[in-house]
Amino acid sequence: MRSRPYGYPILSLQDQLSSFDNHIERRLSSLCNKFSDEKAFQTLLVSGDPIIYEVYESCRPEAAGELASGLSIVHPGRVGQEYFMTKGHYHKVRDTAEVYYCIQGKGVLLMENESGDTAVEELHPGRVVYVTPRWAHRSINTGGQDLVTFFVYPANAGHDYATIDATGFRKRLLDHDGVPTIVDNHQRSECSG
Ligand code: 6PG
Ligand code: NI
């Protein structure tokens, strides 16, 4: 772990491969029960379990004051009418925010809190989204190329996937005749595990 200040390039794939400490690949099989069209999910799964998104992380000690950063790359595609998306999570330490800066592509950051509110912010190159503390967040790719965002958050925030795994988000983003459309998630369960 570097103790002196350092810089790193992030724009080219070559940069990405060399600049980061950790690389995560999320295949369709790790996103069970996330997409609404189970039949389309199974069809895509047997056709090759594609990588839906990847995360490149610049890891830091999980200590107060440290910041974790990296790139989130959601590949283009759909499961049925539903766009490729990340799992989505709350930070384990709820009172921790996050900044997303979009470098490439087109999409949205779908967010919700435990008080029943939902927020949707567009992602396109040059746009920053500030995820306020206590809001779960999911990146969704509505375009035809990789959706690449640079993210920064407190290194001691942790990830709580269980809450979203149990309930799902209140909203989904579907392709309605080529138009990204927010719809209610009728498969959502209120109980959180
Ligand atoms: C984080 C960031 C970000 C996120 C990725 C993948 O808290 O680490 O929000 O890196 O983890 O976009 O999304 P999931 O963590 O929901 O799979
Ligand atoms: Ni996060």
Side-chain angles (χ1 to χ4, degrees), residues 24 26 31 53-57 68-74 86-91 98 100 137-139 149 151-153 157-159 161:
I24 300 164
R26 294 266 192 242
L31 295 161
Y53 65 98
E54 301 176 56
V55 183
Y56 291 88
E57 289 178 319
S69 62
L71 289 176
S72 178
I73 302 174
V74 184
T86 59
K87 278 185 176 193
H89 60 273
Y90 282 98
H91 290 160
E98 182 161 351
Y100 277 80
H137 37 287
R138 160 179 282 171
S139 306
T149 53
F151 58 79
V152 185
Y153 64 98
H159 295 91
Y161 291 105

Side-chain angles (χ1 to χ4, degrees), residues 12-184:
S12 73
L13 181 57
Q14 197 40 55
D15 292 341
Q16 289 154 13
L17 295 176
S18 60
S19 298
F20 295 100
D21 310 300
N22 190 23
H23 174 212
I24 300 164
E25 287 182 342
R26 294 266 192 242
R27 288 185 177 276
L28 185 66
S29 50
S30 71
L31 295 161
C32 290
N33 305 323
K34 292 283 185 270
F35 294 96
S36 54
D37 186 337
E38 185 58 25
K39 194 160 164 290
F41 178 87
Q42 291 302 332
T43 306
L44 200 51
L45 201 56
V46 292
S47 76
D49 196 10
I51 299 174
I52 304 299
Y53 65 98
E54 301 176 56
V55 183
Y56 291 88
E57 289 178 319
S58 176
C59 302
R60 298 299 306 169
E62 295 188 4
E66 286 274 3
L67 296 172
S69 62
L71 289 176
S72 178
I73 302 174
V74 184
H75 300 303
R78 294 198 317 266
V79 177
Q81 291 176 279
E82 198 163 6
Y83 299 100
F84 282 4
M85 57 191 184
T86 59
K87 278 185 176 193
H89 60 273
Y90 282 98
H91 290 160
K92 204 173 277 177
V93 180
R94 287 292 196 271
D95 287 325
T96 52
E98 182 161 351
V99 167
Y100 277 80
Y101 173 67
C102 185
I103 293 170
Q104 177 190 299
K106 185 173 168 292
V108 303
L109 205 59
L110 173 64
M111 296 162 278
E112 69 177 48
N113 64 18
E114 288 158 311
S115 320
D117 309 309
T118 289
V120 178
E121 286 292 335
E122 273 196 27
L123 290 169
H124 54 250
R127 195 152 197 271
V128 171
V129 176
Y130 190 94
V131 184
T132 38
R134 315 196 75 77
W135 286 74
H137 37 287
R138 160 179 282 171
S139 306
I140 306 176
N141 185 346
T142 61
Q145 62 175 164
D146 282 348
L147 173 66
V148 182
T149 53
F150 177 73
F151 58 79
V152 185
Y153 64 98
N156 61 349
H159 295 91
D160 164 12
Y161 291 105
T163 303
I164 290 296
D165 286 349
T167 62
F169 277 76
R170 290 185 195 89
K171 304 289 183 183
R172 292 184 181 278
L173 197 65
L174 302 184
D175 176 320
H176 282 177
D177 305 325
V179 179
T181 307
I182 295 278
V183 299
D184 290 335

